[in-house]
Amino acid sequence: MNNGNTSREAVTALVVETLKGVDTGGEPFGEVDETTELLGRLDSMGLVTFIVDLEERLNDDLGMTVALATDRALSQRQSPFRNVATLTDYVLQLADESANDGRA
Amino acid sequence: MDERRVALVTGTSGGIGRHLSEHFARAGFLVEGCSRRPAEWEVDGYHHHLVDVGDEGQVRDMFQSIRRRHNRLDVIVNNAAIASMNHSLLTPGSIVDSILTTNVKGVFLVCREGAKLMRRAAYGRIVNIGTAVVPLRIEGEAVYAASKGAVETLTRILAREFAEFGITCNVVAPTLVETDIIRGVPREKLDRIVASLPIKRLATFEDVSNAVDFFVRPESDYVTGQVLYLGGA
């Protein structure tokens, strides 16, 4: 189980690795870093698949139990799914909250 | 890891859920079952989860357990449901909330988490248990019938969303079956309902499992988004 102390580097690496494995519905991502955009690059099913894959890998590889598609994420004006960096921040924020709730 | 197929049946403390669990176990499946109460029965290959399907956290935890132990899921039968048969004028809002939470939200949550696991193998069979009360429009069952009508619509749309993952999604809608859920229905009313059916008897557990088997067969991969009413309803 994750204790809320997973490093930003580890989460970023997992986001990048998961993203590289997703069918974009168009051109492959090629080089991926923290500035790589998600919305606009992934088609709608690509985004769904990516989010589900990432939830599973966070759980399997880092022991983090997080639900990325929350009410808050879907209603935020500034979507956390904008790019790799914003998504990484969001994952870490959820993990912190989960640890504070005693579930992670 | 065991290579046997895995089936999840919800609402397995008794009735249709127990019958289907035993049916799948006899057919060689590993069976995962759940209900809010412990199962007071046992069969080889059956594993019980204490879960309220309307509770998102509990449903997630159950699927995490299934994923870790089996890493596959071939079949889901969403059977868990509650009913409260009463005139609408005497039905409290809290009962409506309970029925919709278990019968609609519960089915949705199990389908959602199940599809995440099934898509790994690009294969899955989801069967949601509906009711012929929807077309029969029986007085006193407004909320129960509405919840099952919602399950039909949910199933038809999930069938479209899940098709690209190789997952089919269908409904088996029996007429009334002799289970706890109709225990409160007066015999006279049951007789009237049966008299209105083309085939004049209650449904049996075997009627239900027979129809479920059709949707679950690997050969039924071109059958999705369908509602099968039993008994000619």
Side-chain angles (χ1 to χ4, degrees), chain A:
Chain A
M1 277 293 176
N2 177 260
N3 59 8
N5 294 327
T6 303
S7 74
R8 192 171 203 292
E9 291 71 25
V11 174
T12 302
L14 200 63
V15 172
V16 167
E17 199 177 320
T18 306
L19 194 55
K20 284 180 174 174
V22 171
D23 180 0
T24 62
E27 288 193 11
F29 271 100
E31 284 299 308
V32 177
D33 60 27
E34 291 212 37
T35 64
T36 301
E37 292 185 4
L38 305 177
L39 298 175
R41 289 289 303 278
L42 291 166
D43 65 6
S44 57
M45 276 314 297
L47 185 61
V48 169
T49 303
F50 168 65
I51 291 171
V52 174
D53 285 347
L54 184 58
E55 282 181 355
E56 285 183 359
R57 295 207 55 183
L58 287 166
N59 188 260
D60 289 346
D61 297 5
L62 301 178
M64 302 170 77
T65 304
V66 291
L68 298 175
T70 61
D71 292 346
R72 193 173 30 160
L74 300 174
S75 63
Q76 279 184 20
R77 188 173 295 173
Q78 293 278 46
S79 169
F81 301 111
R82 290 194 306 283
N83 59 44
V84 171
T86 58
L87 180 55
T88 300
D89 290 339
Y90 183 59
V91 169
L92 290 167
Q93 182 189 342
L94 290 173
D96 277 345
E97 291 170 4
S98 186
N100 290 336
D101 289 345
R103 262 189 71 82

Side-chain angles (χ1 to χ4, degrees), chain A residues 1 45 48-49 52-53 55-56 59-60 63 65-69 103, chain B residues 56-58 60-61 64 67-68 112-113 116-117 119-120 161 164-165:
Chain A
M1 277 293 176
M45 276 314 297
V48 169
T49 303
V52 174
D53 285 347
E55 282 181 355
E56 285 183 359
N59 188 260
D60 289 346
T65 304
V66 291
L68 298 175
R103 262 189 71 82
Chain B
E56 190 163 14
Q58 291 182 24
R60 278 182 183 274
D61 289 348
Q64 192 171 67
R67 191 157 65 87
R68 290 199 169 149
R112 185 191 71 191
E113 294 305 307
K116 289 178 184 175
L117 185 47
R119 77 191 175 97
R120 292 177 165 213
E161 293 190 2
E164 69 178 275
F165 304 126

